[in-house]
Amino acid sequence: MEDFRRAVGMKILKDHALFVSTIPPIENLEEEYKYYAVKVSDWMETFVYHIGEALSDESMALETKIKKWADAFGSRASGSNIPLHHSLHFILHTRNLLYDCIEKESESYSPSATEAVKSLRVITILTELAANTVVSHYTKANTDTKNALQHTNKYLDISIANLNNLKNALYEGTIFTVTDKFDRILRVNDHFCNITKYDRSELIGQSHGELLYSGVHSEEFVQNIKHEIQSGRVWKGELCNKAKDESLYWVDTTIVPFLDQDGVMYQHISIQYDVTEKKRTEEILLKSEKVSLIGELAAGIAHEIRNPLTSIGGLVQLFDEMNPQKNEFFKDIILTEINRINFIVSELMVLAKPHAVYFSWFNLVENTKNVMELLQPEVNLRNVAITFETDADIIEVYGEKNQLTQVMINLLKNAIEAIPSGGEIRLSVKTSETNVLLSIQDNGVGMTEEQVKKLGEPFYTTKSNGTGLGLMICFKIIQNHKGTINVESELGNGTTFTITLPMRPSVAGYPENTSENVASPTPSIH
C-alpha cells in the first residue's frame, strides 16, 4: 500500500517542526553545551524534512541530501568539540519519534505488514546513514588529533632534548646560579662554587646578597639593579663580588627574572663569566693612559701656572703700605691668580688619583666646561679657538664622572693636536628624545676612511708618538655606559666625534622613576 508510505511522508513534511520540538532534551547537559541544544533545532528540522521527502518520494537523490546534511552537521559538531553522544542523541531520538509516527498512522490506514516494514526500513537506513556519517567525522577528527599529538610529542621530545643540552651548556660553560624571590640560593654549579670558594652545602638556602656582597658598588647601584629585575627586565653588566676568603672577583653578569602568570618575579637565574683578569688589565691600561695624558699636559700646565706665579711675584713687590686702595686692587688680582692655580691643580689631581668606579647623576654641561678650562693652556699654546653650544645649562647623565671626564680630555686633546697651525674646535652638548649627544668637531687634518675604520683598535695610532691606547679606552668606557662613539672624518677637512649616551641608562639598571620604592622581597646582586 504505497499510499501509506506517502501519507506518512506528507505527515512528517507537514509536522517536521513539531517532531523536533518533542525530541527529549539531553539529561544533565553541561553548561558549556547548552547553546548547542538551542542551535541544533534548525539542523534537526532540516534532517526530519529530508526524511519526509524520502518517504513521499522514492528518488535516490534524497540519500545524497541526507549524506550532505550529515557531513555538514558532523563537521560542525566535531569541529566545535561537541561530544559525539550529544550529536547522536538528536539523530537517534528523531528515529524513535518517526517509528512512533508510523505506529500511530498504521492505526488509521491499516497498512499491510510489508508496507509498514518498508517505511520503517527507509527511516532506519537514512538515520543510520546520518549517524555513520557523523561518526566518521569524529573518527577523522580523533585521528587528526592523535597525529597532531604524536607530532607535538615528537617536537616536545626534541625541545626537551634541546633544553637539556642548553642546561648542560650553561652548567659546564658558565658560572650559574638560581635564586628564589626571597633571595635564597636554590641551585649552583661547580664553577660558582669554585669562584666563590664555598661548598655547595654552604650556599644552598643562604641569602645571596649578604653572602657575596663586596661593598664595591654603591647602594644606589644595587637598588637600581633590583628595580630592573623586579620590573621583569633582563639586566646585563659587570659586578664585583666577595669570595669566602675575602678576595674580590669581577663577573660579566646577565640576570634573567622568571615571572608568574601575574607578571610577578618568583625566581631568577644568573649567568656569569669571570672577567677579573680582564678588569685588572683594563685598570693597568687606564692608569697608563692617565700617566700619558698628564705627561702630555705637563708643559702647558707648567706654563699656565708660571704665568700667574709671575704676576703674583710682581704684584707683591708693588705693595705700598702708604696706598691701601691700590693694595686692595693688587690683592684681588693675586687671589684670582691663586684660584686659577688651585683649579688647574685640583682638576689634575682628580684625573691622576685612583678612584672607585661610582655611577651617579652629574651635569654634563658643567663637566664639559671644566674640561675646557683644564685644557685652556694647551689651547693657548697651539693657537686654537674653542666654541661651546648647549641646549640647556643643566643636562644630566648617569655615569662614572671621572671616566667620562677622561674620555672628553682624550678626545679634546686629540682634536687640538689635529690642528697643527691653529684652527677651531666646536663643542656641543645637546639632547634628543632618548639620548644625550656630546659632539667634538675640529677643522684639522682629518683622516682617511681606512684610518677611521681602525680607530679603537689596540695600539693603532695616527700620531708619531702615540700609544694607540687612548681611543681604545675611550671606546670601552662609552661601551660600558651603553653608549656609542660615531666618527666622521674627511682627509683635509677635519673630524667629528659624536658620543651618544642614553638618558635612562641600563648600565646600572637605573629605574625609570627614581621616586619609586623597591618593594620586598628583592633579588640579590650576583
Side-chain angles (χ1 to χ4, degrees), residues 17 26 38 54 62 72 123 145 163 165 167 179 190 201-202 239 255 260 346 355 362-363 376 392 400 431 450 498 514:
I26 300 172
V38 175
L62 289 166
I123 293 172
T145 302
L163 287 173
N165 291 336
K167 184 186 77 171
T179 308
D190 292 339
S201 59
E202 295 177 291
L239 295 170
I255 303 176
D260 62 21
S346 298
H355 57 270
F362 67 93
N363 185 359
Q376 193 61 45
E400 216 298 319
T431 59
E450 191 65 28
T498 302
T514 56

Side-chain angles (χ1 to χ4, degrees), residues 310-320 330 334:
T310 302
S311 301
I312 292 170
L315 290 171
V316 168
Q317 295 179 21
L318 293 176
F319 263 85
D320 185 354
F330 291 158
I334 290 171

Side-chain angles (χ1 to χ4, degrees), residues 370-387:
N370 289 342
V371 170
M372 290 170 58
E373 187 75 14
L374 178 64
L375 291 178
Q376 193 61 45
E378 188 87 1
V379 169
N380 294 338
L381 286 174
R382 294 180 178 268
N383 192 29
V384 175
I386 297 182
T387 59

Side-chain angles (χ1 to χ4, degrees), residues 29 37 58 75 85 88 98 142 151 211 214-215 229 231 246 249 253 257-258 264 280 283 289 295 306 423 434 440 480:
L29 182 65
E58 294 186 14
S75 177
H85 64 277
L88 294 179
L98 294 174
N142 287 337
H151 282 292
L211 194 65
S214 66
I229 301 169
S231 300
E246 302 293 322
Y249 63 91
T253 304
F258 288 2
V264 179
R280 287 173 181 165
E283 186 177 351
E289 181 61 21
R306 188 182 297 115
T434 57
I440 301 174
N480 289 343

Side-chain angles (χ1 to χ4, degrees), residues 164-185:
N164 284 331
N165 291 336
L166 179 61
K167 184 186 77 171
N168 291 335
L170 288 174
Y171 262 65
E172 296 300 323
T174 68
I175 301 166
F176 187 83
T177 181
V178 180
T179 308
D180 70 9
K181 65 179 180 179
F182 297 109
D183 198 22
R184 293 186 297 242
I185 298 173

